[in-house]
Amino acid sequence: MTNKIPRQNIPSIPSYNYQPTPYIGISKQQVIELRKQYINPVVATYYKQPIMIVEGSMQYVFDETGKRYLDAFAGIATINVGHSHPHVVKAVQEQSAKLQHLTTLYLHPTIAEYSKMLVDKMPDDLSMVYLVNSGSEANDLAMLMARVYTENFDIITLRNGYHGMGGNTMGLTSQSTWKYSPPHNFGIHHALNADVYRGPWNNNENNVADKYADEIKNIIEYATCGKIAGFIAESIQGMGGAIVYPDGYLRKVSDYVHQAKGLLIIDEVQTGFCRTGKGFWGFELQDVKPDIVTLAKGIGNGLPLAAVVTTPEIAQAFTQKIHFNTFAGNPVSCAAGKAVLETIERENLQQNCSLVGDYLLEGLDNLQEKYECIGDVRGCGLMIGVDLVKNRETKEANSELASQIHEL
Ligand SMILES: Cc1ncc(COP(=O)(O)O)c(C=O)c1O
């Protein structure tokens, strides 16, 4: 076992038949200076020497010099059919040329056709779509829907989860890195995470899923009036490091939540659209049927599109007031959404994700046998986490090494 990763072992990327357009815009240095002068400094860049990306083609992106990079990050888990995929580009260009914006106050065929296509991918009674612009907005709306429908207030979520940075969703998000100090946790309870690597119970224990799920039951019993508006979790935690819950966990949680009259809200912002390879939606892995599902990121392959999908009954309860949103459901984003679903189907991307994911996991498992610093390899499809540690016993996170690898 070793802790050193030899630089010469880093493979080069395979050849690719694509010539990026010569870049003729302002220099990288000018971009850096303009950003420094005009963009809020909280808007960060990756890497000690930031990279400027000016073009993309499928799994690759190009900088201003034409240098090609493999985008293993998939545009922050968003480009799930490939950068500037021709089918998506064509759909967006054609729609843009015809009509770029239309509010939902008027009829348009694309939002109607798209909503049907989306619902066709969901379990039977998840048949009502509300389109929005971002994952944060979708989760904010899901919380509101759950509170309006149930007439209860408390929402339970998991520590280490990420659900966005809006005024309400920051309350759900449960990592201090993403939380500002003004109060934002009203009625939100953060349960012990079902983390079988770092949590108190691992997969070798008997009834591990029940033990973690009982934490939700305890919160309902001891921290709420006994009735809740809902429970929200990602199917696999993304920003928290690809945390996979023990089998059966969400099913048990779902029972407790429903007994307390709450709704099961599943955040599929990262796990949706085949990212896990084993199902079209991440919740299929846990064999649960959510009451509300939130979608974003890969839904529009980079265009601002997100959705809240729920049952007709919950949707109906929401009609007691007017709810409106200027850009949501605009024809261009919906055209992108349609093209994404068509591409997933045509190119058999779920199977591809499963295949490539299994291959990657196998390779990472082999590396884990070789390198002491790899404490855990976990995940499913292309939703994979490699947990780097200083010591396998203590499991202390090795963030220095993670930064080094990131910079390679
Ligand atoms: C699981 C999950 N939910 C919600 C969000 C928030 O989405 P957005 O950044 O589009 O607001 C994210 C973003 O990373 C996410 O990973």
Side-chain angles (χ1 to χ4, degrees), residues 134-136 139 162-164 234 239 267 269-270 296-297:
S134 71
S136 300
N139 285 329
Y162 184 93
H163 298 284
E234 299 151 86
M239 299 283 246
D267 178 333
V269 169
Q270 288 217 18
K297 287 197 185 277

Side-chain angles (χ1 to χ4, degrees), residues 5 73 263 296 329:
I5 299 179
F73 202 29
L263 302 182

Side-chain angles (χ1 to χ4, degrees), residues 69-270:
Y69 299 84
L70 173 68
D71 184 8
F73 202 29
I76 253 203
T78 290
I79 306 297
N80 69 343
V81 300
H83 284 278
S84 298
H85 188 290
H87 187 54
V88 180
V89 170
K90 185 167 178 275
V92 168
Q93 279 175 342
E94 283 178 3
Q95 185 54 56
S96 282
K98 270 195 201 139
L99 183 71
Q100 255 181 347
H101 178 69
L102 186 74
T103 130
T104 43
L105 295 169
Y106 301 94
L107 298 179
H108 192 273
T110 316
I111 182 174
E113 286 167 351
Y114 177 57
S115 299
K116 179 185 182 323
M117 280 172 80
L118 194 55
V119 156
D120 283 348
K121 294 284 178 197
M122 289 279 167
D124 277 353
D125 51 347
L126 287 174
S127 60
M128 287 278 139
V129 178
Y130 192 123
L131 295 175
V132 287
N133 302 293
S134 71
S136 300
E137 213 185 335
N139 285 329
D140 187 83
L141 193 60
M143 283 168 86
L144 183 62
M145 280 185 187
R147 284 173 166 161
V148 168
Y149 174 76
T150 61
E151 298 181 352
N152 298 326
F153 189 61
D154 291 274
I155 294 195
I156 304 175
T157 187
L158 295 177
R159 292 182 202 154
N160 195 50
Y162 184 93
H163 298 284
M165 296 204 73
N168 285 317
T169 50
M170 192 182 293
L172 297 174
T173 289
S174 183
Q175 296 169 36
S176 58
T177 348
W178 308 103
K179 285 166 95 74
Y180 286 87
S181 56
H184 51 254
N185 283 356
F186 309 110
I188 295 171
H189 307 271
H190 298 95
L192 179 77
N193 195 21
D195 177 352
V196 290
Y197 181 60
R198 286 211 167 73
W201 306 294
N202 62 38
N203 274 330
N204 298 326
E205 314 259 346
N206 288 330
N207 308 323
V208 58
D210 293 358
K211 286 178 175 149
Y212 283 111
D214 281 350
E215 292 292 309
I216 308 301
K217 184 168 154 253
N218 287 338
I219 288 186
I220 294 170
E221 278 179 19
Y222 296 107
T224 75
C225 65
K227 285 186 180 169
I228 61 170
F231 167 89
I232 178 164
E234 299 151 86
S235 295
I236 292 177
Q237 285 179 340
M239 299 283 246
I243 306 291
V244 183
Y245 316 127
D247 284 347
Y249 169 71
L250 285 179
R251 206 176 169 79
K252 190 86 191 176
V253 169
S254 172
D255 291 344
Y256 290 140
V257 168
H258 287 144
Q259 280 159 23
K261 307 292 176 216
L263 302 182
L264 179 68
I265 307 168
I266 296 293
D267 178 333
E268 287 281 334
V269 169
Q270 288 217 18

